[in-house]
């Protein structure tokens, strides 16, 4: 699934993996797995944001507000992971 992550998301995931909060990293991986394995279920749990490039979905990371995963249903593809209100 080399196309399942943008370069931005890949870099952000690497930083989370190297960081001190393993619970956050594991929760992010669980959310990413939901997106990639069950995108329809993930879409029902996401909000949509309209950008100049189209619709991007925003899935909260369970137990770790304000972290969100931004993703595209096309693919699906994880675009970014970061704190967002």
């Amino acid at each position: 699934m080399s196309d399942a992550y943008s370069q931005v998301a890949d870099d952000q995931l690497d930083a989370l993996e190297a960081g001190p909060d393993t619970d956050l990293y594991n929760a992010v991986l669980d959310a990413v797995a939901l997106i990639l394995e069950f995108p329809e279920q993930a879409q029902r749990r996401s909000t949509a944001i309209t950008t100049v490039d189209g619709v991007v979905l925003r899935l909260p990371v369970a137990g770790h507000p304000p972290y969100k995963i931004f993703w595209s249903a096309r693919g699906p593809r994880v675009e970014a992971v970061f704190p967002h209100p």
Side-chain angles (χ1 to χ4, degrees), residues 4-17 21 23-33 35-36 49 56-62 64-72 77-85:
Y5 303 91
S6 70
Q7 185 61 52
V8 169
D10 195 40
D11 293 344
Q12 291 168 328
L13 290 169
D14 287 346
L16 287 171
E17 182 179 25
D21 193 343
D23 288 339
L24 170 60
Y25 179 67
N26 288 329
V28 167
L29 290 184
D30 289 343
V32 167
I35 291 166
L36 298 179
I49 299 170
V56 176
L57 299 164
R58 181 179 66 175
L59 178 68
V61 176
H64 295 277
Y67 275 87
K68 309 285 189 303
I69 299 176
F70 294 81
W71 65 286
S72 168
R77 178 181 159 101
V78 175
E79 301 297 344
V81 180
F82 59 90
H84 189 265

Side-chain angles (χ1 to χ4, degrees), residues 31-54:
V32 167
L34 177 68
I35 291 166
L36 298 179
E37 295 173 26
F38 304 101
E40 288 142 2
Q41 186 178 3
Q43 189 168 359
R44 286 192 297 270
R45 296 180 183 185
S46 298
T47 56
I49 299 170
T50 302
T51 70
V52 294
D53 295 322

